[in-house]
Amino acid sequence: MSEPAPRFGLIDGNTFYVSCERAWDASLRDVPAVVLGNGDGCCIALSPEAKALGLKIGTPIFQVPDDIRRQVQVRSANFALYGDISARIVTILRDLFPRVEVYSIDENFVDVEGIKDPVALCLEARRRILQWVGIPCCVGLGITRTLAKAGNKLAKNQSKRAIRAGRLAVFHATPENIHQLSVEDVWGVGHRYAARLAKEGVHTAADLAALPEEAVRSRYGVVLARTQQELRGIPCGDLELDEPDRKQIVVSRMFGRDVVDPFDALATFATVACEKMRGRGLAAGALWVWLDGNAHKDDGFHASRAVPLPFPTRDTGEVLRAVRFLSETMMKRDQLFKRGGVGLADLVRSEQRQADLFHGPDERRERGMEVMDRINAKFGRGTVGVGTTGWRVGGRRPGEPIRTPKDAQWRPTLKFLSPSYTTKWSELLRVR
């Protein structure tokens, strides 16, 4: 009996953040390399060489023993670079496949239904991405998206993520050949479900597919039941070409140091959240603010406040007034804060708002917000802001000018940030 033809493919960049750094810095190739997350705190991406030294995702870099730390090349997360390279990969895929779903910054589902030789086309996509962008990839194929995801994991296992893996970098997963995949590596299972399933003797994807359908639905819910159906080769969904409207937008960061007055940071987070919200054509009906203490100094606490807005708004100024009100109710004299965030909730499409006798949109102010967004989109985030807000939300490069004294307090300095190779003329690579 011939195996069913695949309908979906999943193309995933291997150790994507590290690969992006290696594509522009040859000194990182074939050596242990890690990328650090927010404020140069924890490892969020590891090269295979770094994993061989025992490092794991989430390990704080300051906890790495000195003898291992000296062997490792460290970089701060450069999300502008990673986002730009991700967009280039999507452009390559859209030239080759009829439909592409951008699932995450390093993963893309593609439609291979009806293609005469999907393996050959996926190998061509992998070759172009490696040659044109410098990112090694693995490809999973399957008749469902879950099987394609499983195939990608199995392709990584059999190819060892090697750059010259060739045909081993592509795996066509079917219900008959997923017995090598651990159940915790199945898309949507996770560690908690994996632990519960292990107690029932379910250790592989094939074991999960063989469970009675009603038992899975009653004990684990409809989501895992759909996953099981997809592992059996029964599609429960198609590519999602348009991103669904978000229910909430959150911006939060760890501060560079403990601060007494976090309002500047919260105001900047609110400004960025509003910019993202308007870019999606949404308006906020409520918001919440939270602040955390420094748990490493025995001052760990969490405080949060929420407030509904009288009318869904797109106005940054109105959101800032609410953020100030909420933050002042949480701040205490001489209290230090280490982390904070702002969330916009009850999001609705802006054209679906209904005004009443007392509340409605301020069209003049909202047009002003749109002009501000266009200026920032053209000349860079933070070119124009409300009051002292609107500056960069991420970390600061070493030597970068400090705009305000308060800005210097909460923005961390990213000591290992790579240049903006693809987004700044002054930082382009020079060939000698």
Side-chain angles (χ1 to χ4, degrees):
M1 182 177 176
S2 61
E3 60 185 20
R7 290 183 57 196
F8 304 103
L10 177 66
I11 299 177
D12 182 7
N14 298 340
T15 57
F16 184 70
Y17 294 169
V18 173
S19 296
C20 290
E21 298 288 350
R22 283 177 164 175
W24 295 91
D25 186 349
S27 68
L28 300 178
R29 296 174 188 172
D30 302 323
V31 300
V34 304
V35 174
L36 303 180
N38 187 10
D40 287 349
C42 301
C43 301
I44 60 172
L46 305 168
S47 71
E49 296 84 0
K51 292 179 180 176
L53 292 175
L55 298 180
K56 296 181 179 179
I57 296 293
T59 302
I61 193 65
F62 73 88
Q63 291 183 358
V64 177
D66 290 342
D67 58 328
I68 294 178
R69 175 69 180 81
R70 284 191 288 271
Q71 303 176 51
V72 178
Q73 292 289 325
V74 177
R75 292 291 181 273
S76 304
N78 188 343
F79 291 111
L81 174 66
Y82 310 152
D84 184 69
I85 291 180
S86 175
R88 296 178 187 214
I89 292 175
V90 172
T91 300
I92 293 172
L93 296 179
R94 285 180 172 155
D95 281 344
L96 291 171
F97 298 95
R99 296 192 301 159
V100 177
E101 175 190 339
V102 180
Y103 181 67
S104 68
I105 195 169
D106 62 339
E107 296 177 297
N108 296 282
F109 283 103
V110 295
D111 182 358
V112 297
E113 188 173 18
I115 294 175
K116 185 177 180 181
D117 190 346
V119 173
L121 187 60
C122 289
L123 286 172
E124 173 63 14
R126 183 180 185 274
R127 185 192 67 79
R128 290 189 186 184
I129 293 171
L130 182 60
Q131 182 174 355
W132 296 0
V133 185
I135 305 298
C137 296
C138 284
V139 184
L141 294 171
I143 196 171
T144 68
R145 297 169 77 213
T146 302
L147 283 173
K149 187 89 171 175
N152 187 275
K153 179 66 177 177
L154 292 168
K156 289 180 177 177
N157 292 345
Q158 71 176 8
S159 68
K160 309 298 182 186
R161 294 180 168 87
I163 293 178
R164 293 181 176 82
R167 177 63 179 81
L168 291 178
V170 180
F171 191 98
H172 179 190
T174 65
E176 290 74 29
N177 64 8
I178 54 175
H179 57 279
Q180 297 178 0
L181 184 67
S182 170
V183 71
E184 67 180 7
D185 290 331
V186 174
W187 189 26
V189 172
H191 296 295
R192 288 187 179 180
Y193 277 169
R196 289 177 58 187
L197 289 165
K199 294 178 181 177
E200 299 183 29
V202 177
H203 300 288
T204 69
D207 293 339
L208 176 58
L211 284 178
E213 179 183 348
E214 286 304 319
V216 173
R217 186 183 298 273
S218 61
R219 278 180 280 183
Y220 297 96
V222 67
V223 175
L224 193 62
R226 288 177 179 169
T227 298
Q228 184 201 34
Q229 292 298 301
E230 292 227 325
L231 287 174
R232 292 176 174 180
I234 303 171
C236 296
D238 197 2
L239 296 184
E240 297 180 357
L241 304 182
D242 297 320
E243 184 182 358
D245 285 343
R246 295 193 179 185
K247 304 299 181 185
Q248 61 184 28
I249 294 176
V250 175
V251 178
S252 67
R253 291 290 186 279
M254 189 84 74
F255 302 147
R257 65 186 69 178
D258 296 353
V259 299
V260 176
D261 182 1
F263 180 71
D264 264 30
L266 295 176
T268 300
F269 301 160
T271 300
V272 174
C274 288
E275 182 182 301
K276 292 181 177 180
M277 175 187 68
R278 289 192 293 270
R280 297 171 184 275
L282 301 173
L287 66 91
W288 81 98
V289 176
W290 71 94
L291 291 167
D292 293 337
N294 192 337
H296 297 291
K297 296 182 179 178
D298 296 326
D299 191 25
F301 65 89
H302 176 78
S304 66
R305 298 284 189 277
V307 63
L309 298 172
F311 184 79
T313 184
R314 293 162 56 81
D315 183 355
T316 299
E318 189 172 350
V319 170
L320 287 176
R321 285 193 290 274
V323 169
R324 176 173 286 282
F325 168 75
L326 293 176
S327 60
E328 287 179 347
T329 64
M330 291 187 287
M331 290 190 293
K332 299 177 182 178
R333 188 174 182 179
D334 298 329
Q335 178 69 62
L336 294 175
F337 302 96
K338 184 60 179 175
R339 182 185 176 91
V342 174
L344 303 179
D346 294 348
L347 300 178
V348 297
R349 301 295 303 177
S350 58
E351 66 273 16
Q352 295 175 352
R353 295 176 293 175
Q354 293 187 359
D356 56 28
L357 290 175
F358 305 102
H359 302 101
D362 187 332
E363 296 181 356
R364 183 179 178 184
R365 287 188 61 86
E366 292 192 352
R367 285 198 298 271
M369 295 294 115
E370 293 172 0
V371 171
M372 185 174 69
D373 291 344
R374 287 199 293 272
I375 292 173
N376 286 332
K378 184 173 183 179
F379 297 102
R381 175 173 286 166
T383 303
V384 178
V386 178
T388 61
T389 67
W391 313 125
R392 296 178 186 277
V393 69
R396 180 189 304 106
R397 291 175 182 275
E400 182 179 323
I402 297 173
R403 294 175 184 261
T404 68
K406 289 184 177 179
D407 178 59
Q409 292 179 1
W410 68 267
R411 281 187 67 200
T413 299
L414 304 179
K415 299 177 182 177
F416 312 105
L417 189 64
S418 54
S420 301
Y421 296 109
T422 62
T423 52
K424 280 189 177 180
W425 289 108
S426 59
E427 297 181 12
L428 288 178
L429 278 181
R430 296 183 179 181
V431 179
R432 300 176 179 174

